[in-house]
Amino acid sequence: MVSEHSDAAGDTAALALKILVAGGFGVGKTTLVGAVSEIRPLRTEELLSEAGQLVDDIDGVDRKVTTTVAMDFGRITIRSGLSLYLFGTPGQDRFWFLWDELSQGALGAVVLADTRRLEDCFPAVDYFEHRRIPFVVAVNCFAGARSYGADDVSRALDLDQGTPVVLCDARDRDSGKEVLIRLVDHAGRMYTARLLDSVG
């Protein structure tokens, strides 16, 4: 979603860009949206149930007690006239039907990754690669997890050349903001290159 609206003074147009925050179950998507949002984030979290334990793999995130069942929503102003609307996607397989709706009109996506469960972000990487939606991989650096460099993660995920990998702390506003700035820059470069290819 890219939309324009007048600011409070009514004399300049402001740009709003739609960004998805995706990744595996329990990787920190709700945390990232909440950390960077300048408004109270909308959350659709529910308590994990015994029935859900039969279908949700909570190995490695067994202290998690809630899960997103639709989406998280937040907003952040990058600079005057440029705002990002953030949509956090649910991580479980059974909610993937929502991704097509949420991805409509998105400028790009952040794929959050946990190196302890790196395979959990493969579906998100595949989803955005196949739909040619620009994305960055943000490695959420959990305490106690073995640290890997950006190049190691890029090779392990077999990312297309040029797909950025950044290290972050999803709890930290400044760290999350840097991830979003990196995504906007990457998406801008990709869309510019596609435009030049189309006219060339």
Side-chain angles (χ1 to χ4, degrees):
M1 173 180 62
V2 179
S3 62
E4 293 187 6
H5 58 275
S6 297
D7 65 10
D11 55 1
T12 60
L15 188 63
L17 305 173
K18 181 179 183 181
I19 300 293
L20 300 187
V21 180
F25 179 61
V27 77
K29 300 179 295 293
T30 298
T31 301
L32 178 64
V33 172
V36 300
S37 180
E38 62 198 20
I39 61 172
R40 183 178 179 181
L42 167 69
R43 293 181 171 151
T44 58
E45 288 197 306
E46 295 292 339
L47 290 172
L48 289 171
S49 65
E50 288 185 19
Q53 290 177 3
L54 300 174
V55 291
D56 294 331
D57 177 13
I58 61 170
D59 184 40
V61 288
D62 32 1
R63 288 186 292 177
K64 186 173 173 62
V65 296
T66 61
T67 185
T68 299
V69 295
M71 67 173 184
D72 300 310
F73 173 77
R75 185 189 72 213
I76 179 174
T77 300
I78 295 294
R79 58 171 169 76
S80 178
L82 176 60
S83 296
L84 303 181
Y85 291 153
L86 308 175
F87 291 82
T89 66
Q92 303 96 307
D93 298 7
R94 67 183 188 277
F95 294 123
W96 283 349
F97 68 92
L98 293 169
W99 286 33
D100 287 337
E101 292 294 326
L102 291 174
S103 65
Q104 291 284 332
L107 173 77
V110 173
V111 176
L112 267 181
D114 177 352
T115 56
R116 299 169 302 178
R117 294 162 49 105
L118 196 59
E119 66 280 0
D120 288 0
C121 70
F122 274 116
V125 168
D126 289 343
Y127 183 91
F128 298 121
E129 282 184 345
H130 288 139
R131 286 159 183 81
R132 301 186 70 213
I133 297 174
F135 69 96
V136 300
V137 173
V139 179
N140 193 6
C141 299
F142 287 91
R146 183 177 170 189
S147 62
Y148 293 90
D151 290 341
D152 295 326
V153 173
S154 182
R155 282 192 297 272
L157 293 175
D158 194 25
L159 297 176
D160 290 341
Q161 187 174 8
T163 301
V165 176
V166 294
L167 307 182
C168 75
D169 181 343
R171 302 165 299 178
D172 182 76
R173 177 178 172 81
D174 289 337
S175 180
K177 191 171 180 179
E178 284 301 315
V179 170
L180 296 173
I181 290 171
R182 185 76 178 271
L183 171 62
V184 171
D185 179 63
H186 174 61
R189 291 173 189 272
M190 283 194 68
Y191 286 120
T192 299
R194 290 176 191 172
L195 180 62
L196 291 175
D197 283 345
S198 69
V199 298

